[in-house]
Amino acid sequence: MNTHRHPADARRLAFAAAVLLSAGLAACSSTSMPMGASTTSAMTATSQAALPTPVQVPAGHRVAWETVGVGQITYECRAKAGTPGAFEWVFVGPDAELRSRSGMKLGRYFGPPATWASDDGSALTGTQVGLVPAAAGNIPLQLVKANPATGRGVLEGVSYIQRLATRGGVAPALACGEGQTGQRQVVQYQADYIFWKPGA
């Protein structure tokens, strides 16, 4: 058997291999990460400088707990306040699991009022103090000043909560008019929730 290839055959094989390789790379690059996966690295006090000022936690705080919220947000079609004849999708409330970065369930985030609850029995609410737009299609980044926690656990003493690395969750791109008043739509979302306490 002749094991030597004609140079033209070798070029054709090399070209075919290159086409297959590029197609494979394109397929990999177009594959989206499943909801629930997180590539965000652990947050530290020094990494605050990389965030927009309105959602930075004041100096003198340390990270107490990091979670990934995975769930849904409900919107309702309602008349737009102060604009007769106009309607809009209005945020009703969230319902999400709080998970570790490895996917273990740690607690729940729900509302209204917006409440973060750990499976250890501690829970808290808060007041928004900062908001920054995220990439198109994602709910904004947020900074919340925490109210005193109830129960004993990881949320005791938490003073601030950050919502970062948001994915999805924006109001639905569906018709909202007089004929849809009162209708509700549920959209999926994900976000990192970082809990901070005073201290170095």
Side-chain angles (χ1 to χ4, degrees):
M1 180 181 294
N2 181 10
T3 58
H4 298 287
R5 298 187 184 278
H6 190 279
D9 293 334
R11 286 194 296 272
R12 282 194 291 270
L13 287 173
F15 176 75
V19 169
L20 289 173
L21 178 61
S22 62
L25 292 174
C28 291
S29 65
S30 64
T31 302
S32 59
M33 182 177 295
M35 187 71 77
S38 176
T39 59
T40 305
S41 59
M43 178 62 64
T44 64
T46 55
S47 62
Q48 289 293 293
L51 296 173
T53 302
V55 295
Q56 289 183 14
V57 173
H61 288 77
R62 61 180 175 83
V63 174
W65 201 35
E66 293 192 46
T67 66
V68 180
V70 181
Q72 57 193 30
I73 295 174
T74 299
Y75 289 88
E76 183 175 306
C77 182
R78 299 177 185 172
K80 190 171 184 177
T83 310
F87 299 83
E88 64 181 348
W89 290 104
V90 176
F91 178 93
V92 174
D95 187 4
E97 282 190 356
L98 297 177
R99 303 176 182 174
S100 68
R101 296 200 182 278
S102 62
M104 180 184 300
K105 182 179 179 296
L106 301 175
R108 185 171 168 239
Y109 173 54
F110 58 92
T115 302
W116 294 264
S118 168
D119 285 345
D120 65 14
S122 57
L124 53 75
T125 59
T127 302
Q128 177 179 290
V129 293
L131 199 68
V132 173
N138 303 319
I139 54 175
L141 310 183
Q142 182 185 51
L143 180 64
V144 171
K145 182 73 173 70
N147 295 322
T150 60
R152 302 296 300 274
V154 69
L155 294 176
E156 286 183 277
V158 165
S159 50
Y160 287 95
I161 307 146
Q162 282 177 316
R163 182 176 72 195
L164 306 174
T166 57
R167 295 180 59 203
V170 297
L174 298 173
C176 174
E178 188 172 3
Q180 289 78 39
T181 303
Q183 289 186 12
R184 291 191 171 192
Q185 294 289 334
V186 173
V187 296
Q188 302 302 307
Y189 92 106
Q190 175 178 309
D192 285 2
Y193 291 100
I194 315 297
F195 300 82
W196 297 76
K197 292 182 180 180

